[in-house]
Each structure stands twice: as C-alpha cells, then as structure tokens.
Amino acid sequence: MSTQGTVRAVTTYRLSEMKQNGEKISMLTAYDYSMARILDAAGIDVILVGDSAANVMAGFETTVPITLDNMIYHGRAVARAVERALVVVDLPFGTYQGNSKEALSSAIRIMKETEADAVKLEGGEEVLESVERILSAGIPVMGHLGLTPQSIHKYGTYSVRAKEQAEADKLIRDAHLLEDAGCFGIVLEKIPAVLASRVANELKIPIIGIGAGGGVDGQVLVVHDMLGITNEFSPRFLRRYADLHTIMTDAFTNYIKDVKNGDFPNEKEQY
Ligand code: KIV
C-alpha cells in the first residue's frame, strides 16, 4: 500500500503473471526515502528493505544485530517514497524463528507501521509454522533459501551453499514447502546456477536470484554494492553499474578544498 492508501501497481499477483509471461523481475534493496524514490521512478519492480541495512547502513559485520524497530524505521521511509514497486521488508533475526505467534506479531508490526506490501524471512521447514501463521493473517510472505546470512554463526562462512547433494535436496524440498504454504516468491542466494534453475522450473511462484545464475525469474542485488559505494565487497556474482565510491570521494574532496580555500560559497551562492 502507498501512503495514499491505494494499492501499488506491482502486486504479488502481477509478479506471478510476469513469471507466467516469461518477463524477468527486477529487484534491488533500499533503506531510505531518497534512494527509494529514485529506484521507483526508474521502474524497478520490487524494492527490498533488506536486513543488509545492518551492514551497509549501520556498519555491522553480520545482519544478526539489526532490530525490528530498526527495520520498521527503514521500511517506513522506503514505503513512504514508493508509488509503483512492491515493497518487501525483511523480518530480522530473532523475530520469527522460535515462536510462530511472535513471528505473526513481528509481521503485523511491519505491515501496520511501515505500510509495506509483504515480508521476507529466511529458512524452510524449520520456520514453516511461522510462515503459515503469518500467511493466515493475510500478509504476503517471500521465502529466502540457500545462503541465509542470519545463520552465519551456524555455518561460519558466506561461501556458495547447496553444492553437496544432501543440501541441494533439502533446498528443493524447502522450496516446495514454501510454495505449498502460500509464499508468493522465494529469494535464492549464492547457490549453483543449475540448482536454482531447476527450482525455478519446478515451482510456479517467482524465484529471484542473487548469485544464483540467469535461469531464475528475476534478480536482486544490494543497491550499495551495484552502485559501487561499497568498494571492498567483490563477489563473482556482483556487477557494478557505477563507481559511486570514486564519484563521491571526488565530490567530498572538492567540497573540502573549496571550503578551505574560501571558494565556497561565492557571491552568487549567498543572500
Ligand atoms: O538483506 C538483503 O539485502 C537480502 C538480499 C541479499 C536478498 O536479503
């Protein structure tokens, strides 16, 4: 829903149509009003208020520390900006795993306090009860399988997931469970392209990949990574569409120089 109370043009139903028509789905993260406005005006289909905000906005090493209040702050800023794209907000670590009633109240807080359109959460069978309870309240849910950064302390590494047959089999099972429960889509992160493509072919709901190859129904990237604001993070799957780190550094150093020299402000830049 937009702040005007009207349904945004991109709905979960529209995403399902896009999959049926073979139209690829574009998705990027955003965490603030100004970025979300630019993304929405550019025509992005889905904006994810990812818990990667913990990394790129707050500077934490993992996504574990970000809170529900933090996610609601970011979600509200993004949802206020967006008129067209579907807005999905991540449920942060610790707000849905242990107890499905708590999962539902976390999801309800996100929906009421941000005016986003859907929530996303990580995991398969182990969080199925939470998924089902959230869905039963009429809240659209997106799944997230493969590399699930909230479980970093279990796996100890961000390397490619589901390379072994047993883990690949579990991922396929989990994807079917999420679809059968009623999820409207699934993010597959950092898994072999062949496996991701198999899941996209077997499932009717849209599969959005990040580091999962081109055989899925859409792609998502973290906006700071694709804009080249974060220049120390270079996984193989990342394509940089700009080098904002250099552009911003040049702008900042020129501003500092102009202030120090007394060149800014000039006569036309004052009252
Ligand atoms: O938090 C996030 O940005 C995500 C994407 C990597 C899919 O979950």
Side-chain angles (χ1 to χ4, degrees), residues 52-102:
S52 49
N55 312 117
V56 295
M57 300 302 287
F60 289 116
E61 270 195 26
T62 75
T63 56
V64 170
I66 200 160
T67 65
L68 187 57
D69 284 339
N70 294 156
M71 292 305 300
I72 287 171
Y73 170 82
H74 291 296
R76 187 188 289 159
V78 168
R80 203 179 294 135
V82 174
E83 286 173 11
R84 179 187 169 276
L86 187 89
V87 179
V88 182
V89 178
D90 265 342
L91 279 166
F93 175 72
T95 65
Y96 62 92
Q97 288 94 343
N99 171 333
S100 65
K101 285 192 182 154
E102 194 188 338

Side-chain angles (χ1 to χ4, degrees), residues 95-109 129-134:
T95 65
Y96 62 92
Q97 288 94 343
N99 171 333
S100 65
K101 285 192 182 154
E102 194 188 338
L104 176 58
S105 57
S106 306
I108 287 176
R109 275 202 65 199
E129 199 182 306
S130 294
V131 169
E132 284 168 346
R133 198 179 277 261
I134 297 169

Side-chain angles (χ1 to χ4, degrees), residues 123-146:
E125 193 176 4
E126 49 298 323
V127 293
L128 201 60
E129 199 182 306
S130 294
V131 169
E132 284 168 346
R133 198 179 277 261
I134 297 169
L135 284 163
S136 73
I139 300 173
V141 178
M142 183 169 221
H144 183 153
L145 299 171

Side-chain angles (χ1 to χ4, degrees), residues 29 31 48 50-52 90 120 122 144 187 189 210 220 222:
T29 65
Y31 318 97
L48 171 66
D51 61 354
S52 49
D90 265 342
K120 175 166 85 57
E122 297 181 5
H144 183 153
V187 167
E189 180 164 356
I210 172 165
V220 57
V222 169

Side-chain angles (χ1 to χ4, degrees), residues 115-188:
E115 295 198 79
D117 304 302
V119 298
K120 175 166 85 57
L121 50 74
E122 297 181 5
E125 193 176 4
E126 49 298 323
V127 293
L128 201 60
E129 199 182 306
S130 294
V131 169
E132 284 168 346
R133 198 179 277 261
I134 297 169
L135 284 163
S136 73
I139 300 173
V141 178
M142 183 169 221
H144 183 153
L145 299 171
L147 174 63
T148 47
Q150 292 179 12
S151 314
I152 180 61
H153 296 301
K154 175 174 173 191
Y155 295 101
T157 156
Y158 290 109
S159 54
V160 179
R161 259 328 120 68
K163 287 207 284 195
E164 305 303 328
Q165 196 56 48
E167 202 184 338
D169 290 344
K170 174 170 165 34
L171 188 143
I172 293 167
R173 255 194 335 270
D174 281 343
H176 281 281
L177 286 174
L178 292 174
E179 172 168 83
D180 294 346
C183 285
F184 72 87
I186 300 175
V187 167
L188 291 183

